[in-house]
Amino acid sequence: MTGGIRIRIKICGVTHPDDAAAAVDAGVDLIGLNFVPGSPRMLDLNTAEAISNRVAGQVERVAVFRDAPWNEVEMVTRRIELERIQFHGEESEDEVEMVDLPVIKAVRGADREAAQTYPGALLLLDHPTGGGGAGQAWNWSEAAELIAEGYDIILAGGLDPENVGEALGNLGDLPPWGVDVATGVEAEGYRKDPARIQAFIAAVRKAEEAG
């Protein structure tokens, strides 16, 4: 893995201000705030605001939506201080470009056609069929070609402290822009486990050094 390029670490589905603070203390770069109906990690506005305020100025805060009505996206972005928006559904290129903030667009696996559809977005590559917080692993090495072609990607889908080093190693010499984890660092009740967050970060940094 090419030296000198630092892989960003995103902890998604943060549900408590204390978990956000622990993630920041451990050294993460981004946290995800989930606004997807039906998700066990979905936040109400008051909780999301409390989490956002707790870590303001210390980490990039990302609001996660999936096929949300535009008025819901606007309601969240007016209320909550954010650095990025993540779209995790079938949003069109036009919808993605309507957002004033930088966008992360989740796609199914290493989908070249989808990558070409969202030229201005960071691409989060999740499980080809079972993505979106399900914690399912896939053949992460398939992302290598997109990285080699110059796409900025966030590797996601089933990553945890035990396998993230292997996943990064399978990409060869070119690191991804970042990695994303939710289920892989959780304890009971969808709360994040500080020890697993620290172990995840340590594994990523070890993979960087090994490259």
Side-chain angles (χ1 to χ4, degrees), residues 8 10-12 86 124 154-157 159 178-182 200:
R8 288 81 159 183
K10 176 172 174 280
I11 305 294
C12 205
Q86 179 175 320
L124 184 142
I154 299 175
L155 198 65
L159 295 175
V179 290
D180 179 284
V181 62
F200 185 86

Side-chain angles (χ1 to χ4, degrees), residues 13 15-16 19 40-41 182-183 185-194 196:
T15 60
H16 195 284
D19 297 358
R41 304 175 187 87
T183 308
V185 294
E186 283 181 344
E188 294 182 1
Y190 304 102
R191 292 289 302 271
K192 302 307 186 213
D193 182 334
R196 286 191 66 75

Side-chain angles (χ1 to χ4, degrees), residues 148-161:
E149 291 173 18
Y151 289 98
D152 286 332
I153 70 117
I154 299 175
L155 198 65
L159 295 175
D160 60 34

